């Protein structure tokens, strides 16, 4: 999954109608604007600490950042911008959308000693997952092998993995799959440690689940359709659902304050997306239908509203933000 996605993102701009998938910032400016207001609000109530920087993990085309920064500027918050991005094509688009942004290959090179205002939208879902499957012989790692026709297929490894399975799942029925994401845990560990030491707050927004679950969530998207994850590695976007409960545990263990979690629909509604949509429609009546379609897509339980979740964390002494929790 890691090798496939590294090639996939290095070779293309995957976003938009001409690409493979569309993210929330590309659907409407309202998404980024409300995130910017959330950050400006919590920064203000934290005492407007100087030197705060805006950090985005996997910033797409830079659309979310541009919209969020525009909202933040209305409240006197004009932070330095740092993007964590490894794709050359996307870096070029981000530099055009947010001139002056500074780039990092990973969060470890972010500045020390300055409060972070961090956003990760549809970032953690693309990190490689590890799967364990219960077999007749016990727990084994789920791996990729070759069929008799030399096609890729899922296979159970030959090494026992019972010792790494949580005790409450050790006796699960044969065929049960447990999924973890070590890369997500490592990145959030660094982010949480920085928040605890430097101050700041972070929003993680992605599709996933708020409570632990079993089963494989691995999927592949190409041309806005689900495809076989093993059919064309490197030519489709491989993702898995984010385990927000696991991320919250990491954040708390590393000294950050977990402000809460919510569905994307509830979060955006709490921040006032209905009022923002009405204001945009009043300013541009000819676009009223388009604006309402975008609002519905972002918040409806039948669209992105329930599938996507939000997790907010912060420095232990920072105030609670609006929405989550």
């Amino acid at each position: 999954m890691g090798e496939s996605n590294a090639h996939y993102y290095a070779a293309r701009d995957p976003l938009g109608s001409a690409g493979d998938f569309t993210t929330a910032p590309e659907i409407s400016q309202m998404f980024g604007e409300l995130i910017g207001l959330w950050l400006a609000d919590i920064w203000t109530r934290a005492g407007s600490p100087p030197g705060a920087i805006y950090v985005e993990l996997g910033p797409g085309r830079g659309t979310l950042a541009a919209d969020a920064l525009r909202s933040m500027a209305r409240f006197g918050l004009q932070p330095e911008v740092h993007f964590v991005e490894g794709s050359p094509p996307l870096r070029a688009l981000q530099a055009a959308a947010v001139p002056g942004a500074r780039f990092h290959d990973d969060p470890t090179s972010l500045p020390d000693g300055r409060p972070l205002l961090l956003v990760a939208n549809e970032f953690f879902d693309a990190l490689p997952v590890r799967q364990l499957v219960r077999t007749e012989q016990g727990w084994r790692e789920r791996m990729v092998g070759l069929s008799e026709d030399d096609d890729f297929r899922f296979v159970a490894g030959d090494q026992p993995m019972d010792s790494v399975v949580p005790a409450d799942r050790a006796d699960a029925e044969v065929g049960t799959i447990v999924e973890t994401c070590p890369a997500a845990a490592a990145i959030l560990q660094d982010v949480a440690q920085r928040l605890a030491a430097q101050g700041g707050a972070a929003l993680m927004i992605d599709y996933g689940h708020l409570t632990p679950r079993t089963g494989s969530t691995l999927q592949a998207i190409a041309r806005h359709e689900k495809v076989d994850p093993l059919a064309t590695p490197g030519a489709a976007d491989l993702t898995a659902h984010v385990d927000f409960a696991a991320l919250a545990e990491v954040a708390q263990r590393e000294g950050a304050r977990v402000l809460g979690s919510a569905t994307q629909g509830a979060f955006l509604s709490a921040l006032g997306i209905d009022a923002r949509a009405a204001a945009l429609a009043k300013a541009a009546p000819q676009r009223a239908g388009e604006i309402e379609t975008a609002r519905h897509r972002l918040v409806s339980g039948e669209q992105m509203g329930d599938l996507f979740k939000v997790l907010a964390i912060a420095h232990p002494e920072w105030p609670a933000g609006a929405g989550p929790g």
Side-chain angles (χ1 to χ4, degrees):
M1 185 176 176
E3 293 295 332
S4 295
N5 276 349
H7 174 80
Y8 174 81
Y9 282 100
R12 75 203 74 221
D13 169 14
L15 298 167
S17 58
D20 292 324
F21 57 90
T22 301
T23 60
E26 305 296 331
I27 293 172
S28 172
Q29 69 187 71
M30 295 183 286
F31 184 80
E33 288 174 344
L34 292 175
I35 287 177
L37 291 177
W38 188 91
L39 293 172
D41 172 65
I42 197 169
W43 171 79
T44 300
R45 289 189 292 110
S48 305
I53 62 174
Y54 175 85
V55 177
E56 191 169 341
L57 309 183
R61 291 174 170 170
T63 305
L64 190 162
D67 292 337
L69 290 165
R70 187 175 63 251
S71 288
M72 287 187 271
R74 293 172 51 200
F75 297 91
L77 175 56
Q78 295 179 298
E80 194 175 276
V81 178
H82 292 257
F83 288 155
V84 176
E85 178 61 68
S87 166
L90 290 177
R91 278 194 179 193
L93 294 172
Q94 294 155 10
V98 186
R102 304 183 184 188
F103 291 93
H104 304 262
D105 292 326
D106 58 65
T108 61
S109 62
L110 291 170
D112 295 323
R114 301 171 66 180
L116 306 182
L117 301 172
L118 185 144
V119 177
N121 180 63
E122 291 201 50
F123 171 79
F124 286 100
D125 66 272
L127 299 178
V129 293
R130 185 183 192 186
Q131 294 182 343
L132 302 177
V133 58
R134 177 72 189 276
T135 71
E136 295 284 0
Q137 293 73 41
W139 287 93
R140 299 290 186 268
E141 183 163 12
R142 197 169 186 235
M143 309 177 83
V144 177
L146 292 174
S147 69
E148 293 180 358
D149 298 323
D150 284 342
D151 293 324
F152 288 127
R153 67 185 181 96
F154 289 111
V155 299
D158 57 5
Q159 298 298 314
M161 302 295 292
D162 301 75
S163 62
V164 300
V165 176
D168 60 341
R169 298 180 183 177
D171 295 326
E173 64 183 51
V174 171
T176 299
I177 294 173
V178 175
E179 198 172 72
T180 62
C181 188
I187 289 174
L188 195 67
Q189 178 179 345
D190 180 79
V191 169
Q193 289 174 348
R194 287 178 176 274
L195 291 176
Q198 300 173 214
L203 280 177
M204 279 69 69
I205 307 164
D206 228 311
Y207 57 88
H209 41 276
L210 296 177
T211 56
R213 53 166 290 177
T214 59
S216 172
T217 68
L218 179 68
Q219 66 177 19
I221 300 292
R223 300 298 176 189
H224 301 271
E225 299 287 342
K226 289 187 178 181
V227 298
D228 181 355
L230 300 183
T232 55
D237 179 39
L238 296 182
T239 65
H241 284 207
V242 176
D243 184 345
F244 283 93
L247 294 185
E249 287 181 9
V250 172
Q252 196 163 28
R253 185 178 68 236
E254 299 302 325
R257 178 186 179 191
V258 176
L259 302 181
S261 57
T263 63
Q264 177 176 293
F267 175 67
L268 295 177
S269 295
L271 296 187
I273 192 171
D274 292 347
R276 182 55 178 151
L280 289 173
K282 183 177 181 180
Q286 72 279 10
R287 295 184 55 235
E290 171 191 339
I291 293 166
E292 172 54 25
T293 297
R295 186 205 65 81
H296 179 77
R297 186 172 177 185
L298 291 172
V299 305
S300 170
E302 300 172 353
Q303 299 284 328
M304 300 175 71
D306 285 349
L307 176 61
F308 282 73
K309 312 298 193 301
V310 181
L311 173 66
I313 64 175
H315 182 276
E317 296 180 2
W318 273 47

